[in-house]
Amino acid sequence: MVPACKTISNSIRELVHVIRHLSEALHAAKLKAVLVIPPAISPGTNQPGMFGKQEFDQLAQLVDGFSLMTYDYSNRLRPGPNSPVPWIQACVQILDPDANWRSKILLGLNFYGVDYGSLGGSADPIVGQRNC
């Protein structure tokens, strides 16, 4: 059986390899390569996400930008804000603490709202006009 850390390391190496070739092909066609990435901190957990500084550093020179998904922080089981600013800031800081590549980080912001039930368990989209 292969240790999990070795499998993850191989997967990251393969990911970088694929993105390198994809970026080269896009750049050859005079197109830009923007990689959509999940938040560096798992929402509501304060735990590292599945894409962190190591992956960011390996890919920053290969792509033109990163679209950082900083929305859907809360859910019906854990009601709260959709995109708390401190969480967004922490996600950016973890990826690029020295601000070397900040111009490549595009924040994915939500343009919607969700009304969570006061006891949790329900989530209704806020759309159009609404009576309070």
Side-chain angles (χ1 to χ4, degrees), residues 38-51:
I41 301 171
S42 292
T45 67
N46 219 19
Q47 297 297 314
M50 59 191 297
F51 188 95

Side-chain angles (χ1 to χ4, degrees), residues 27-81:
H27 292 146
K30 299 191 182 338
L31 297 170
K32 295 200 181 262
V34 177
L35 181 63
V36 179
I37 58 173
I41 301 171
S42 292
T45 67
N46 219 19
Q47 297 297 314
M50 59 191 297
F51 188 95
K53 182 176 177 359
Q54 178 183 354
E55 293 80 18
F56 182 86
D57 287 345
Q58 290 179 0
L59 297 171
Q61 294 181 22
L62 304 177
V63 300
D64 298 291
F66 295 92
S67 179
L68 176 58
M69 298 185 292
T70 50
Y71 45 84
D72 292 343
Y73 178 84
S74 300
N75 62 45
R76 69 181 52 158
L77 301 176
R78 195 184 61 254

Side-chain angles (χ1 to χ4, degrees), residues 19-127:
I19 291 173
R20 177 182 311 277
H21 287 290
L22 182 61
S23 292
E24 289 170 354
L26 290 169
H27 292 146
K30 299 191 182 338
L31 297 170
K32 295 200 181 262
V34 177
L35 181 63
V36 179
I37 58 173
I41 301 171
S42 292
T45 67
N46 219 19
Q47 297 297 314
M50 59 191 297
F51 188 95
K53 182 176 177 359
Q54 178 183 354
E55 293 80 18
F56 182 86
D57 287 345
Q58 290 179 0
L59 297 171
Q61 294 181 22
L62 304 177
V63 300
D64 298 291
F66 295 92
S67 179
L68 176 58
M69 298 185 292
T70 50
Y71 45 84
D72 292 343
Y73 178 84
S74 300
N75 62 45
R76 69 181 52 158
L77 301 176
R78 195 184 61 254
N82 201 315
S83 300
V85 173
W87 174 66
I88 294 171
Q89 291 171 326
C91 286
V92 171
Q93 289 284 345
I94 284 173
L95 293 176
D96 191 22
D98 299 323
N100 295 323
W101 301 101
R102 294 281 170 88
S103 63
K104 289 190 173 197
I105 299 175
L106 311 168
L107 292 182
L109 301 174
N110 61 302
F111 286 95
Y112 56 86
V114 178
D115 185 10
Y116 296 107
S118 60
L119 300 176
S122 67
D124 298 312
I126 299 172
V127 293

